[in-house]
Amino acid sequence: MKKVASLWLATFGVGFAIISALLVWTLFTPAPYGDLTRIGRLSETQFGWRHDPPVLDPAHLRAVPLDQADILVLGDSFSMTYRWQASLVQAGYKVSTTYWGQVGYMCGDFTDWVRRQGFKGRMVIAESVERAFDERMRRSEQCSHMVERRLELKTEPFLGPLTQKPPPGLNWAAKLTTGPITWLNTRKAMRAQGDTQHGDETLVRLVPDGCKQFSHLACDRVPFFKEDIDNGPLTAQTFERMQRLTAANPSLDLLWMIIPNKTTVYLDPQHSSPFVDLLKAHPALGPDLFTWAQQARFATQDFYFPNDTHLSMLGQVSLGKAMLQEVRKRLD
């Protein structure tokens, strides 16, 4: 009986020691603040950005009600912080923002529908990240009627970005195994001679001249979103759908704003080259942000967040200046 009790106590002691070690390890593993480090369970110490975001006037980060707007932005997560739109607001334009998740797609009666919603302005900026744009164009052509629901637009940003790097602190919210898994994944990424995959969606890839373009400690290795590759490139057919949707809405000044994938910008500039070539040849449809991004990535360190799939707030400010030039060409 004493042997059984001793064995039980020894087993309990070993288990308690292991759990305690895991708890301490995880507590001192910084909580992720980037989408790619979070889903890939990678170290923010190695992959977290180190530049402070720009400080913007809060008055420029507010939208107006739809019936007061000169410009309606239909966007995705790249538009939800209102950071790039701040350049338009600062220049005196009245901007309202909705997003694809609210609208669905640009169906055949889009113009009539947006007027019924109360929009009296002239310009609609349709923003989409590259990896989602082809599906949005295909689905838009396939639907004839917009869903009849009232848009719930916000004067405040849909997403509030980090205004500074999170301060050090204990990671109480994480699962017990987060510490060792993060350490193992980061060790694998740092030791590999090529690309590594972490979870279903995060790739860590070597970037030529990475340390000229990113501020994080492991700056020659950068996390990327696997969907950038899996969703395929934009094509000539994508461009033709975009042209047809423009022609179907002649009373709107429809400005297309396609933001290249992070992978396209840093590793594969030719990914959607047939589409980009046509966009260059038809500048009235919208700016060529693909060529622009190739220059901006060296002009602005952390143009995209190293630990995320989105433009950084530095990149958003740069994007806003580029879009302001495009808007002025059409509205001034």
Side-chain angles (χ1 to χ4, degrees), residues 48-99:
W49 44 266
R50 297 191 290 171
H51 285 310
D52 289 333
V55 177
L56 301 182
D57 185 340
H60 300 150
L61 299 174
R62 292 182 62 83
V64 300
L66 186 59
D67 61 357
Q68 299 176 23
D70 306 314
I71 300 169
L72 172 63
V73 175
L74 168 58
D76 52 29
S77 55
F78 283 77
S79 295
M80 288 185 178
T81 65
Y82 291 7
R83 257 52 185 181
W84 72 260
Q85 296 98 307
S87 292
L88 306 185
V89 176
Q90 186 176 8
Y93 295 106
K94 296 178 181 178
V95 181
S96 188
T97 297
T98 185
Y99 60 100

Side-chain angles (χ1 to χ4, degrees), residues 130 133-134 232-243 258 264 268-282 285 288 290-291:
E130 175 189 1
F133 189 60
D134 185 70
L234 304 182
T235 64
Q237 289 72 34
T238 312
F239 183 84
E240 290 164 4
R241 293 187 181 101
M242 184 176 70
Q243 277 187 313
I258 301 91
T264 299
D268 188 11
Q270 301 304 312
H271 182 65
S272 294
S273 57
F275 175 88
V276 175
D277 289 343
L278 287 166
L279 190 60
K280 289 178 182 178
H282 298 81
L285 291 174
D288 169 19
F290 291 77
T291 303

Side-chain angles (χ1 to χ4, degrees), residues 5 20 53 66 78 98 100 112 132 160 166 176 178 184 219 294 313 323:
S20 298
L66 186 59
F78 283 77
T98 185
W100 292 95
D112 291 340
L176 197 62
T178 295
L184 287 169
C219 50
Q294 287 303 307
M313 295 306 103
M323 290 307 300

Side-chain angles (χ1 to χ4, degrees), residues 122-123 253 255 283-287 326-332:
R122 177 175 148 200
M123 174 175 282
D253 192 340
L255 180 62
L285 291 174
E326 292 295 323
V327 169
R328 279 177 166 162
K329 290 177 187 177
R330 290 162 168 81
L331 296 186
D332 289 358

